[in-house]
Amino acid sequence: MPTDNHGVHTERGLQPDLKWTTLLSPPGDAGRSGNMSAALNPYAPPQTLSTDLRSFAPRYRVNTSKTTIREFQNLSGRPIVGAFVWLAARAGLTRLNGQIIDGPKAFAEDQCELDDLRDPVRSHLLSISDSAGTLGFHSPVYSVSNSTGVEVHGGTIRMLHDSGRSFLQILASTSGALMQGYEIIVSATSTPASVFSTTNGPPNYNLPVGVTVHRHVGRPLHELLDSHKRLTDQIDNLMIFQSFTDVGAVMDHLSALFYTDKIARGIFVEEPEP
């Protein structure tokens, strides 16, 4: 189910970037405005966020037994059943430890065509993006994620906001007959570098340092935007997202935080190429 890596990734990360069953979700420049130099845009993402993701492996196996029991209960969405499944995973008795996911890709290389998304994921994403357009979000770009072992198909639409103070991630995923989706509005500060978001999605993986999530589970997008605006109105050093180049710097940073944390904890284990 989708993760926030993101808020991550997963999407991929913030990819997060959705809430998958052991999942993951945590992308071209389609903004209305052209790129601005740092001199013209003093709140542009600093170079310290432009993380090189090539040091990560191409594929990872998800070792569910290394999550905390609360994390897995959150990921499964079923606290009681999740506790028993987690215990079985710890004992090596389930196939959940066999999920294989891709390593992180740079945002600029992680785009797809709309036709690469399958229903019901595509239909759900498009329905939310239509309503997001009435709230000032624009210029959608698409990405897709798939895993093997535990079969998950996920997709994300990301959109800039007219204010330049945030961007939107719309996430959805299917695993078997189960489909889930939610939205995340993301902003960032440059000094110190930190990322914060407002989402209607439930908790899943524990968050890495430098990422803050404000949750309003199940609330509609317009309420998320109102809440996020109240939050950003109190912050002076916001990054301004003029294009998806700016978004990419933050997304790559989030992907690096997300994967580094999960690798260090033994949840993501490098998997040899088939």
Side-chain angles (χ1 to χ4, degrees):
M1 332 307 318
T3 72
D4 304 308
N5 62 316
H6 60 261
V8 173
H9 169 319
T10 126
E11 356 174 174
R12 305 198 174 160
L14 278 162
Q15 40 176 314
D17 130 323
L18 312 178
K19 184 183 173 186
W20 319 74
T21 46
T22 299
L23 143 178
L24 186 68
S25 55
D29 195 355
R32 289 179 179 171
S33 304
N35 295 337
M36 299 179 68
S37 70
L40 293 176
N41 181 11
Y43 302 115
Q47 279 303 117
T48 53
L49 287 186
S50 299
T51 305
D52 186 352
L53 300 177
R54 289 175 294 182
S55 61
F56 292 93
R59 296 175 2 127
Y60 290 92
R61 177 174 54 83
V62 182
N63 185 355
T64 302
S65 66
K66 294 295 185 179
T67 63
T68 67
I69 189 169
R70 177 58 58 85
E71 279 179 298
F72 188 75
Q73 287 174 311
N74 289 337
L75 287 163
S76 68
R78 296 179 292 177
I80 296 176
V81 174
F84 286 104
V85 175
W86 180 83
L87 290 171
R90 296 274 290 188
L93 300 178
T94 80
R95 60 189 287 266
L96 287 178
N97 288 342
Q99 184 183 23
I100 305 298
I101 60 173
D102 288 338
K105 288 183 179 179
F107 184 88
E109 301 171 359
D110 197 26
Q111 307 296 316
C112 74
E113 300 296 329
L114 181 58
D115 288 345
D116 294 325
L117 300 171
R118 304 195 301 263
D119 281 330
V121 166
R122 179 171 56 185
S123 296
H124 174 83
L125 294 176
L126 290 177
S127 68
I128 301 298
S129 66
D130 285 345
S131 62
T134 67
L135 299 173
F137 293 103
H138 61 87
S139 306
V141 296
Y142 313 100
S143 63
V144 64
S145 61
N146 295 289
S147 71
T148 58
V150 175
E151 299 289 337
V152 177
H153 172 70
T156 306
I157 296 179
R158 295 184 176 90
M159 305 174 74
L160 300 170
H161 191 261
D162 285 335
S163 68
R165 296 164 66 86
S166 64
F167 64 91
L168 173 66
Q169 296 195 98
I170 310 168
L171 303 100
S173 66
T174 55
S175 181
L178 177 65
M179 199 212 77
Q180 294 181 324
Y182 57 83
E183 295 81 61
I184 309 171
I185 302 173
V186 183
S187 294
T189 59
S190 54
T191 312
S194 61
V195 181
F196 57 95
S197 61
T198 303
T199 181
N200 54 13
N204 39 62
Y205 284 119
N206 294 340
L207 296 171
V209 174
V211 179
T212 303
V213 175
H214 303 268
R215 296 189 186 279
H216 303 278
V217 177
R219 306 311 300 171
L221 182 56
H222 70 88
E223 291 186 17
L224 294 187
L225 184 59
D226 288 344
S227 178
H228 195 77
K229 184 179 183 301
R230 289 194 296 271
L231 181 65
T232 57
D233 283 346
Q234 303 173 35
I235 300 174
D236 294 327
N237 60 333
L238 282 178
M239 294 180 187
I240 302 301
F241 299 102
Q242 297 287 343
S243 72
F244 280 105
T245 299
D246 300 333
V247 171
V250 173
M251 289 302 306
D252 291 354
H253 178 67
L254 283 169
S255 291
L257 291 179
F258 182 76
Y259 276 81
T260 298
D261 176 73
K262 304 304 173 288
I263 291 167
R265 295 176 57 200
I267 297 173
F268 295 170
V269 181
E270 185 172 344
E271 180 73 8
E273 289 293 330

Short mmCIF file of all heavy atoms in Angstrom, two decimals, residues 51 56-57 89 102 166 169 233:
data_model
loop_
_atom_site.label_atom_id
_atom_site.label_comp_id
_atom_site.label_asym_id
_atom_site.label_seq_id
_atom_site.Cartn_x
_atom_site.Cartn_y
_atom_site.Cartn_z
N THR A 51 20.58 15.42 -4.28
CA THR A 51 21.26 14.18 -3.91
C THR A 51 21.47 13.28 -5.11
O THR A 51 20.57 13.07 -5.91
CB THR A 51 20.43 13.43 -2.85
OG1 THR A 51 20.20 14.33 -1.76
CG2 THR A 51 21.16 12.21 -2.35
N PHE A 56 22.74 3.99 -4.77
CA PHE A 56 21.82 2.96 -4.30
C PHE A 56 21.76 1.81 -5.30
O PHE A 56 22.03 1.97 -6.48
CB PHE A 56 20.42 3.55 -4.09
CG PHE A 56 20.33 4.52 -2.96
CD1 PHE A 56 20.50 5.88 -3.17
CD2 PHE A 56 20.10 4.08 -1.66
CE1 PHE A 56 20.44 6.79 -2.13
CE2 PHE A 56 20.03 4.97 -0.60
CZ PHE A 56 20.19 6.33 -0.84
N ALA A 57 21.39 0.63 -4.79
CA ALA A 57 21.29 -0.55 -5.63
C ALA A 57 20.06 -0.45 -6.55
O ALA A 57 19.10 0.27 -6.24
CB ALA A 57 21.18 -1.80 -4.77
N ALA A 89 6.02 -13.16 9.96
CA ALA A 89 7.12 -12.68 9.14
C ALA A 89 8.43 -12.76 9.90
O ALA A 89 9.48 -13.11 9.35
CB ALA A 89 6.85 -11.25 8.68
N ASP A 102 12.15 -1.66 -6.76
CA ASP A 102 13.26 -0.96 -7.40
C ASP A 102 13.93 -0.01 -6.41
O ASP A 102 13.28 0.49 -5.48
CB ASP A 102 12.77 -0.15 -8.60
CG ASP A 102 12.37 -1.02 -9.77
OD1 ASP A 102 12.86 -2.17 -9.84
OD2 ASP A 102 11.59 -0.56 -10.61
N SER A 166 4.05 25.11 -2.48
CA SER A 166 3.88 23.68 -2.22
C SER A 166 3.67 22.94 -3.52
O SER A 166 3.46 23.56 -4.58
CB SER A 166 2.68 23.44 -1.29
OG SER A 166 1.47 23.85 -1.91
N GLN A 169 1.11 15.61 -4.18
CA GLN A 169 1.28 14.23 -4.62
C GLN A 169 -0.06 13.50 -4.43
O GLN A 169 -0.60 13.48 -3.32
CB GLN A 169 2.35 13.51 -3.80
CG GLN A 169 3.73 14.09 -3.94
CD GLN A 169 4.78 13.13 -3.40
OE1 GLN A 169 5.40 12.39 -4.16
NE2 GLN A 169 4.97 13.13 -2.10
N ASP A 233 1.79 29.76 6.23
CA ASP A 233 1.71 31.20 6.48
C ASP A 233 2.56 31.61 7.68
O ASP A 233 2.88 32.80 7.83
CB ASP A 233 0.25 31.62 6.73
CG ASP A 233 -0.56 31.71 5.44
OD1 ASP A 233 0.05 31.70 4.35
OD2 ASP A 233 -1.80 31.76 5.53
#
